[in-house]
Amino acid sequence: MFTSVKAFEGQQYSTLKRQCLQSGLLFEDPRFPATDDSLFHQGNRIGRVVWKRPRELCEDPHLFVDGISAHDLHQGQLGNCWFVAACSSLASRESLWQKVIPDWKEQEWDSEKPDSYAGIFHFRFWRFGEWVDVVIDDRLPTVDNQLVYCHSDDSNEFWSALVEKAYAKVYGCYEALDGGNTADALVDFTGGVSEPVDLLEGQMATDEAARNQLFERVLKVHNRDGLISCSIRATTVEDMEARLDCGLVKGHAYAVTDVRKVRLGHGLLAFFKSEKLHMIRMRNPWGEKEWSGPWSDSSEEWKKVSKSEREKLGVTVQDDGEFWMTFDDFCQYFTDLILCRLINTSYLSIHKTWEEEVMRGSWVHRQDPLRNRSGGCINHKATFLQNPQYVFDVKKVEDEVLICLQQKEKRATPKEGKGENLAIGFDIHRVELNRKYRMHSAQQKVAGSIYINSRCVFLRKELKEGRYVIIPTTFDPGQQGDFLLRVFTDVPSDCKELTLDEPPQTCWTGMCGYPQLVTQVHVLNAEGLQGQDSNGDPYVIITCEGERVRSPVHKDTRCPNFDVKGLFYRKKPKEGIHIEIYNKNVIVDSFLGQVTLFSDPNERQEQHTLHLRDKGSRQDNDLPGTLTVRLITCTTLTNI
């Protein structure tokens, strides 16, 4: 199921269980003991807690009773609705919860084999780029013989309480789960990528076209086994968990458990009727307090839907915390939506397959500007380009690119209290097609994420064919930490870190020469090209000292806006730079003209409008068409 699973804190489940069975002793976890230190950051806040095993709480304990369901979870005396909401979403996806709860049949209590019980369980979470296997004992905190935290409707069902304990162990203690981000838990359960959607900023309540487009995205994520959560933003402390007149709760994470297009009408009328209602179903982790508006459990609107359709949707008239509402009403009341996509990288799938590149890096502060890797955001112009830099290629005419930057978790510090995340983000710059050394001067910024102190920052962006550099940063310079950068494209992007500032010197440098000059050639546009066709498919090739840079083909134009750059480290500054333009043909590409440039080392920047001419011709044999080119020339190689 996993290519690689790492034992959390070195504890091997199979080894520990075998030792317990051989000794006849139930497992007691020394890494997460049954003490107040495993409950609180600083001191007991709920009174005397007694740790009990499930068999001390009921006669016939089970992981699951009648399967697994979102209704199995109820939030206890902990402000972790974000975690419980994520669990509710997880419970609806068998393929996903079986990853989090591996070997669940083997882990179940077996009344026919009581000797196989060792008081030990294990669960798996995706943490900072790898799956970790977390071992726990089954001693759970109780007060007055009742579970303090997450629990099920059935008193003998314990999967939710045990998963919560394993998650609390990862974070250091239970109290570390008090207040958090549903997006983080969704990623930890799936290894997916969470995209936050601001419904207010997108004006989803008033913009019907945008709302319909969003519904299709939400439906696609749901149908492809993604997990979804939502909430109503609380703007003040008093707003937190305040109940609105319609029954919804502010500052509270809800799990989205279904998304449908519902047919209206009865019988054949419903079958042939084209009208479908966009509907979404949610669950309150409290297990009660539901939406009371249109399409709530007992509302009159359900009479518009056939009985068979209602049964298919699982409509029940009870205060179980789960309810339906129209997507229009959803966008009217909710402010934030989290879409956790499962990024499919399997070539055997019928769905879209993504190419994934994973980069690990660190922000490290050093005094030497060339070695410093903690320069802060672009507001700090003097140090911004000292951050880590990653180059990748978009090889299609246009491609949707998903980028996720994740910082290493800082919350699991129970003795000091919750650690604070850094404010992080990233910028994307379009660079020369042959860029292979670090940027030292600003380029064309084409996109950027927000800066926020969350664990992950996500961006989805359509990019044109070309080469790009991602610069992940902290907001302020000098801050240090580890990060994980994931880049998803339709075709391989060849993403890698840029580590060299300039061409390295070798033992052959003295004999073969070392670059004396660096020149950036930026071919902007061409006008009035004449080829074999009235409208051609031109492309440009830049050649300098044997190195070639070729632009993408521009379709059906005589005036292409090339906007293509090449970077050349030059050992022979007096030699010219050749720019040739061709027209793309099926058999043989036709030549449209060329120019040769001689850059002046004393000129930092110069722009030319040049007449095209035939190969080897003199200046007076100009061809129809002009070319606009900008040169940037440096004698110090690390200035560009």
Side-chain angles (χ1 to χ4, degrees):
M1 187 177 291
F2 300 99
T3 55
S4 176
V5 179
K6 180 181 177 182
F8 185 70
E9 295 188 342
Q11 292 179 299
Q12 296 284 351
Y13 168 74
S14 57
T15 302
L16 291 171
K17 182 172 184 178
R18 185 171 61 251
Q19 290 172 352
C20 290
L21 293 175
Q22 289 173 349
S23 66
L25 299 175
L26 297 182
F27 180 61
E28 294 187 2
D29 187 1
R31 303 290 175 84
F32 201 60
T35 65
D36 283 359
D37 285 343
S38 297
L39 296 174
F40 310 104
H41 284 303
Q42 297 173 334
N44 189 317
R45 288 167 174 74
I46 58 175
R48 185 171 179 270
V49 173
V50 179
W51 295 77
K52 292 191 174 184
R53 297 186 189 269
R55 278 190 169 166
E56 298 175 271
L57 295 170
C58 66
E59 290 185 1
D60 186 27
H62 289 280
L63 271 179
F64 309 119
V65 173
D66 297 326
I68 185 172
S69 160
H71 297 278
D72 295 341
L73 296 108
H74 292 277
Q75 185 182 339
Q77 297 181 37
L78 195 63
N80 66 342
C81 61
W82 59 280
F83 166 78
V84 179
C87 280
S88 294
S89 296
L90 179 72
S92 64
R93 303 294 192 193
E94 182 176 356
S95 61
L96 297 182
W97 68 252
Q98 286 191 3
K99 290 182 180 181
V100 176
I101 312 174
D103 316 316
W104 65 272
K105 290 182 180 179
E106 183 271 333
Q107 293 201 75
E108 259 289 10
W109 281 267
D110 189 344
S111 56
E112 295 181 1
K113 298 179 181 177
D115 292 341
S116 65
Y117 170 64
I120 185 172
F121 290 85
H122 71 128
F123 303 94
R124 288 174 179 166
F125 308 110
W126 189 90
R127 301 287 296 171
F128 203 63
E130 60 188 4
W131 286 92
V132 294
D133 193 78
V134 183
V135 172
I136 58 167
D137 62 37
D138 62 354
R139 294 177 294 177
L140 298 170
T142 68
V143 171
D144 297 330
N145 215 41
Q146 300 294 319
L147 291 175
V148 176
Y149 300 128
C150 196
H151 55 279
S152 173
D153 266 346
D154 296 294
S155 60
N156 63 332
E157 183 177 61
F158 290 95
W159 75 266
S160 59
L162 292 169
V163 169
E164 182 186 48
K165 179 173 182 177
Y167 204 63
K169 179 177 178 178
V170 169
Y171 275 92
C173 68
Y174 276 89
E175 193 180 27
L177 305 184
D178 192 9
N181 190 334
T182 308
D184 293 345
L186 294 176
V187 170
D188 289 343
F189 290 159
T190 63
V193 173
S194 282
E195 176 185 6
V197 180
D198 188 325
L199 300 176
L200 293 178
E201 186 178 304
Q203 298 181 327
M204 297 300 171
T206 56
D207 189 335
E208 184 179 1
R211 186 167 62 248
N212 290 337
Q213 190 177 41
L214 176 63
F215 179 81
E216 294 299 332
R217 273 170 59 197
V218 173
L219 182 63
K220 183 184 290 186
V221 170
H222 176 75
N223 287 343
R224 294 187 180 179
D225 286 341
L227 302 184
I228 306 170
S229 176
C230 56
S231 61
I232 302 172
R233 200 175 305 158
T235 54
T236 64
V237 176
E238 291 74 22
D239 264 355
M240 286 298 294
E241 298 191 347
R243 186 174 181 181
L244 304 177
D245 292 340
C246 62
L248 299 175
V249 181
K250 281 190 171 185
H252 191 58
Y254 288 79
V256 174
T257 55
D258 204 353
V259 184
R260 295 279 185 96
K261 291 181 179 179
V262 178
R263 289 183 182 275
L264 299 181
H266 299 263
L268 289 176
L269 180 64
F271 184 79
F272 289 108
K273 206 171 183 181
S274 60
E275 184 183 1
K276 291 183 179 180
L277 203 59
H278 292 175
M279 300 283 285
I280 186 168
R281 186 177 71 190
M282 283 152 288
R283 185 174 188 277
N284 185 340
W286 289 345
E288 57 181 4
K289 295 186 171 57
E290 298 183 5
W291 160 251
S292 58
W295 298 95
S296 54
D297 284 358
S298 56
S299 68
E300 293 290 316
E301 282 82 7
W302 285 110
K303 293 180 180 179
K304 300 176 184 178
V305 178
S306 67
K307 182 180 178 182
S308 61
E309 187 79 358
R310 289 200 303 271
E311 290 174 351
K312 195 187 301 181
L313 295 171
V315 179
T316 58
V317 184
Q318 54 183 320
D319 189 20
D320 56 3
E322 193 166 52
F323 55 89
W324 286 91
M325 62 194 303
T326 66
F327 198 68
D328 288 356
D329 283 338
F330 172 81
C331 291
Q332 188 73 40
Y333 285 94
F334 283 86
T335 61
D336 294 277
L337 179 68
I338 297 169
L339 304 175
C340 183
R341 288 182 172 85
L342 301 188
I343 305 297
N344 177 30
T345 56
S346 170
Y347 294 110
L348 302 177
S349 173
I350 61 172
H351 294 309
K352 177 178 172 63
T353 296
W354 294 86
E355 295 287 343
E356 179 184 22
E357 299 280 2
V358 180
M359 303 284 121
R360 294 179 181 273
S362 300
W363 294 294
V364 181
H365 180 62
R366 299 187 181 99
Q367 294 301 321
D368 181 356
L370 289 180
R371 296 179 65 244
N372 182 42
R373 292 295 179 264
S374 180
C377 69
I378 201 167
N379 296 344
H380 306 276
K381 295 189 180 347
T383 57
F384 170 66
L385 292 173
Q386 295 171 12
N387 285 292
Q389 299 180 14
Y390 297 87
V391 65
F392 73 97
D393 292 324
V394 173
K395 298 176 183 177
K396 296 173 63 177
V397 174
E398 194 168 58
D399 195 6
E400 182 182 39
V401 180
L402 309 181
I403 300 173
C404 179
L405 175 65
Q406 178 179 339
Q407 62 182 308
K408 197 159 192 178
E409 188 64 62
K410 292 198 171 188
R411 292 175 51 143
T413 52
K415 292 184 180 178
E416 296 83 19
K418 291 181 190 175
E420 291 299 323
N421 287 327
L422 302 172
I424 62 170
F426 56 87
D427 285 345
I428 305 174
H429 294 250
R430 191 173 187 185
V431 297
E432 305 88 353
L433 287 177
N434 61 340
R435 163 71 68 171
K436 53 190 175 185
Y437 302 110
R438 286 176 55 82
M439 290 167 48
H440 295 283
S441 61
Q443 298 272 10
Q444 176 192 1
K445 178 181 173 181
V446 294
S449 73
I450 60 171
Y451 276 79
I452 190 170
N453 62 345
S454 66
R455 193 177 76 178
C456 293
V457 177
F458 174 85
L459 181 70
R460 179 168 50 88
K461 181 71 176 177
E462 292 278 349
L463 292 177
K464 295 180 179 178
E465 186 175 359
R467 180 162 289 187
Y468 298 85
V469 168
I470 305 171
I471 305 180
T473 85
T474 57
F475 187 77
D476 294 317
Q479 295 182 316
Q480 302 193 113
D482 298 325
F483 63 82
L484 188 76
L485 179 68
R486 293 197 282 169
V487 180
F488 300 91
T489 50
D490 193 42
V491 295
S493 66
D494 303 326
C495 185
K496 61 182 178 182
E497 184 177 4
L498 296 175
T499 57
L500 298 177
D501 292 290
E502 59 187 24
Q505 298 201 31
T506 68
C507 58
W508 300 104
T509 298
M511 187 183 303
C512 302
Y514 187 74
Q516 305 171 40
L517 207 65
V518 59
T519 301
Q520 182 195 80
V521 183
H522 188 182
V523 181
L524 299 169
N525 51 58
E527 292 187 5
L529 300 179
Q530 286 190 1
Q532 295 174 349
D533 306 309
S534 57
N535 275 326
D537 299 331
Y539 64 89
V540 64
I541 295 177
I542 310 170
T543 307
C544 179
E545 297 187 26
E547 185 171 0
R548 291 158 55 94
V549 171
R550 174 173 168 161
S551 77
V553 174
H554 290 251
K555 294 286 186 180
D556 301 322
T557 180
R558 291 173 56 192
C559 299
N561 178 22
F562 284 119
D563 191 22
V564 60
K565 292 185 285 188
L567 191 64
F568 302 97
Y569 290 82
R570 306 172 64 195
K571 299 174 183 177
K572 304 171 185 177
K574 292 184 179 180
E575 286 197 4
I577 300 169
H578 305 282
I579 303 174
E580 301 172 334
I581 299 181
Y582 290 85
N583 186 54
K584 182 70 176 174
N585 290 313
V586 175
I587 301 175
V588 179
D589 295 349
S590 56
F591 173 72
L592 300 182
Q594 74 164 2
V595 296
T596 302
L597 293 169
F598 297 91
S599 61
D600 184 347
N602 298 317
E603 292 268 358
R604 168 63 183 167
Q605 183 167 323
E606 48 188 322
Q607 184 162 313
H608 307 271
T609 300
L610 302 161
H611 289 277
L612 298 173
R613 59 183 186 275
D614 202 349
K615 289 184 177 180
S617 69
R618 297 180 179 273
Q619 185 73 30
D620 55 4
N621 290 331
D622 289 342
L623 297 173
T626 60
L627 191 67
T628 305
V629 180
R630 180 183 297 128
L631 296 184
I632 299 177
T633 304
C634 291
T635 53
T636 305
L637 303 191
T638 54
N639 279 352
I640 199 167

